[in-house]
Each structure stands twice: as structure tokens, then as C-alpha cells.
């Protein structure tokens, strides 16, 4: 069983930075990802990372966000730079039971992930 817990959210001005963390148990080399959701909208995939550390990003965060992991610490990270008001939302980390191979263009889909944290709120003011 994989248990996940996000932290690091908060309120920042436009152009600011935040680093989110996701800690848990049972990380091993699981395929993991970060998602974002706003009220009334679907959860959207932002970035994914596989057990070997290969990464991919949604086009609207590429170049601004960086996903990384430290398996020894059972921690997943999302470094977010140049934040904009449209980045506001509840941020979730997720893990898959099945292994994956992340290649360029790979976009994490909500239905493919089995384990979820409770989310951490990010608010970016203009």
C-alpha cells in the first residue's frame, strides 16, 4: 500500500516560486506524477517521473516546473518557478501500481494513477 502526503503549498505573488514535497511509504520505483485541480474543473496532469528518473511535462508548465524524486527519502518534489495566477489550484501527487516508462510527450492521466495524497493548496496573486 502506498500512502502519500503533500506539503509546501502557500500563497505567493505572480513571478514567485514554491517547492512542493510529497512524502510517503512504498515509493520504491513507482511511476509518479503531479496533478492540479480547481473547483469545477478536471484534475490535470502537470509532470510525470518514472523509476529511472525520466521526466515529462505538460506544455503549459514546461520550462517553469521541475519534477524530481529521492527514493531513499521516499519523497517526490515539484519545483515551481515563474508562477502565474493561472497556476492557482490544489496540487496532488500520485503514484501508479504499474511501472511506466516516461518518454517526451508522456502526459499523466488521472485514471492511470492508483494512489493519491490529499493535496496542498497553491495560490498565486496577480
Amino acid at each position: 500500500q502506498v500512502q502519500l502526503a503533500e506539503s509546501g503549498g502557500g500563497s505567493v505573488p505572480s513571478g514567485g516560486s514554491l517547492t512542493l514535497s510529497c512524502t510517503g511509504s512504498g515509493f520504491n520505483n513507482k511511476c509518479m506524477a503531479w496533478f492540479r485541480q480547481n473547483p469545477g474543473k478536471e484534475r490535470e496532469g502537470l509532470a510525470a517521473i518514472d523509476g529511472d528518473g525520466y521526466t515529462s511535462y505538460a506544455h503549459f508548465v514546461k520550462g517553469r516546473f521541475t519534477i524530481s524524486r529521492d527514493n531513499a527519502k521516499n519523497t517526490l518534489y515539484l519545483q515551481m518557478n515563474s508562477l502565474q495566477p493561472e497556476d492557482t489550484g490544489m496540487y496532488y501527487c500520485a503514484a501508479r501500481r504499474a511501472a511506466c516508462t516516461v518518454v517526451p510527450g508522456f502526459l499523466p492521466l488521472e485514471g492511470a494513477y492508483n494512489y493519491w495524497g490529499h493535496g496542498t493548496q497553491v495560490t498565486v496573486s496577480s
Side-chain angles (χ1 to χ4, degrees):
Q1 184 72 16
V2 177
Q3 295 180 322
L4 304 172
E6 303 90 342
S7 62
S11 296
V12 295
S14 179
S17 298
L18 280 174
T19 299
L20 306 183
S21 298
C22 172
T23 58
S25 59
F27 262 51
N28 298 324
N29 289 316
K30 283 187 169 48
C31 189
M32 303 195 70
W34 285 98
F35 291 78
R36 175 173 72 200
Q37 187 173 29
N38 279 299
K41 294 189 176 181
E42 293 186 355
R43 199 168 291 186
E44 56 184 355
L46 305 177
I49 187 168
D50 65 19
D52 293 322
Y54 291 100
T55 61
S56 69
Y57 299 89
H59 67 90
F60 49 87
V61 302
K62 193 172 184 179
R64 299 189 299 125
F65 291 11
T66 302
I67 187 172
S68 62
R69 66 193 298 163
D70 186 335
N71 289 333
K73 295 182 179 180
N74 279 339
T75 304
L76 179 74
Y77 301 99
L78 186 67
Q79 171 68 44
M80 305 185 294
N81 298 323
S82 301
L83 284 163
Q84 301 301 315
E86 53 266 34
D87 293 316
T88 293
M90 185 69 78
Y91 283 67
Y92 298 89
C93 65
R96 287 177 59 168
R97 277 194 294 265
C100 71
T101 299
V102 173
V103 297
F106 178 93
L107 190 63
L109 299 177
E110 181 180 3
Y113 288 77
N114 310 102
Y115 307 102
W116 294 84
H118 293 294
T120 185
Q121 178 68 36
V122 172
T123 302
V124 185
S125 57
S126 57

